[in-house]
Amino acid sequence: MSFILAIVGRPNVGKSTLFNRLVGKRVALVDDRPGVTRDRREGEGRIGDIDFTLIDTAGLEEAAEGSLAGRMREQTQEAIRLADVILFMVDARAGLTADDRLFAEMVRKSGKPVVLAANKSEGKVGLAGAYEAFELGLGDPVPLSAEHGEGLNDLYEALQPHAAKPEPEIDEFDDVADS
């Protein structure tokens, strides 16, 4: 049995790029303009020997209820509700924003396990931003570059505890020996 992993974060942190990488094909639109992803998108993801259902979400933004941005936020909140594990993504090059802090609190209140990913961590500026992500209180950030495929081994390690454990094999002869 696999688990459901929802990728959440503010617009343009690289959620769709990571989604495409983990599902192994370009399914989600990737664009430098914010707001391109407007609905939840699901796919079957894999990293190493870990299989999961992956949900790509619209960027979290403060928005009026009923507005387009408000409906996008509702879709993201629904993805959080459906998820077994939340992958909260920040942009390490941009550093933490007020929105990152606000949405980190929302993710924390969900009570779900969270993996914190500091995307765009390549280079000195990105690495400094990855260290800044510790301030969110969501555990150790996983520095990665979704675009270049860097840091996926660390992401694998962070997801490993959430992967389903295989059922122990039952030796049918054990029952006979006990009789």
Side-chain angles (χ1 to χ4, degrees), residues 114-126:
V114 178
V115 172
L116 175 61
N119 192 31
K120 306 179 188 181
S121 288
E122 62 274 17
K124 290 180 182 177
V125 173

Side-chain angles (χ1 to χ4, degrees), residues 57-79:
T57 63
L60 283 166
E61 300 181 71
E62 276 297 311
E65 196 173 313
S67 68
L68 175 59
R71 290 191 305 273
M72 290 163 54
R73 180 182 169 130
E74 288 171 12
Q75 289 290 318
T76 298
Q77 289 171 320
E78 178 66 7

Side-chain angles (χ1 to χ4, degrees), residues 7 13 27 48 51 61 95 116 120 138 144-145 160-161:
I7 306 174
V13 296
V27 178
D51 295 312
E61 300 181 71
L116 175 61
K120 306 179 188 181
L138 295 174
L144 59 87
S145 171
Q160 189 68 40

Side-chain angles (χ1 to χ4, degrees), residues 6-68:
I7 306 174
V8 302
R10 64 184 171 77
N12 283 41
V13 296
K15 297 179 302 294
S16 294
T17 301
L18 183 62
F19 177 89
N20 286 341
R21 184 166 292 283
L22 295 177
V23 298
K25 56 188 168 191
R26 189 179 161 111
V27 178
L29 294 175
V30 176
D31 198 295
D32 290 336
R33 295 170 298 163
V36 172
T37 303
R38 295 189 174 172
D39 294 310
R40 294 188 318 263
R41 183 175 322 280
E42 292 188 20
E44 294 306 312
R46 182 180 187 91
I47 186 167
D49 59 355
I50 304 173
D51 295 312
F52 44 85
T53 299
L54 191 61
I55 304 174
D56 183 27
T57 63
L60 283 166
E61 300 181 71
E62 276 297 311
E65 196 173 313
S67 68
L68 175 59

Side-chain angles (χ1 to χ4, degrees), residues 6 143 169:
E169 289 187 32

Side-chain angles (χ1 to χ4, degrees), residues 40-172:
R40 294 188 318 263
R41 183 175 322 280
E42 292 188 20
E44 294 306 312
R46 182 180 187 91
I47 186 167
D49 59 355
I50 304 173
D51 295 312
F52 44 85
T53 299
L54 191 61
I55 304 174
D56 183 27
T57 63
L60 283 166
E61 300 181 71
E62 276 297 311
E65 196 173 313
S67 68
L68 175 59
R71 290 191 305 273
M72 290 163 54
R73 180 182 169 130
E74 288 171 12
Q75 289 290 318
T76 298
Q77 289 171 320
E78 178 66 7
I80 290 170
R81 189 188 69 71
L82 293 170
D84 298 308
V85 180
I86 299 166
L87 180 63
F88 186 75
M89 187 177 279
V90 298
D91 180 337
R93 270 189 267 153
L96 294 182
T97 67
D99 281 346
D100 289 324
R101 289 177 171 84
L102 177 73
F103 297 125
E105 184 60 30
M106 183 177 85
V107 166
R108 189 179 298 104
K109 286 181 180 177
S110 76
K112 306 273 176 102
V114 178
V115 172
L116 175 61
N119 192 31
K120 306 179 188 181
S121 288
E122 62 274 17
K124 290 180 182 177
V125 173
L127 199 53
Y131 288 128
E132 184 183 11
F134 276 102
E135 295 175 22
L136 295 174
L138 295 174
D140 294 350
V142 176
L144 59 87
S145 171
E147 183 176 1
H148 301 292
E150 297 172 9
L152 295 180
N153 288 339
D154 294 330
L155 181 58
Y156 172 85
E157 293 296 323
L159 292 175
Q160 189 68 40
H162 307 290
K165 309 288 186 257
E167 293 293 321
E169 289 187 32
I170 298 173
D171 187 348
E172 62 186 84

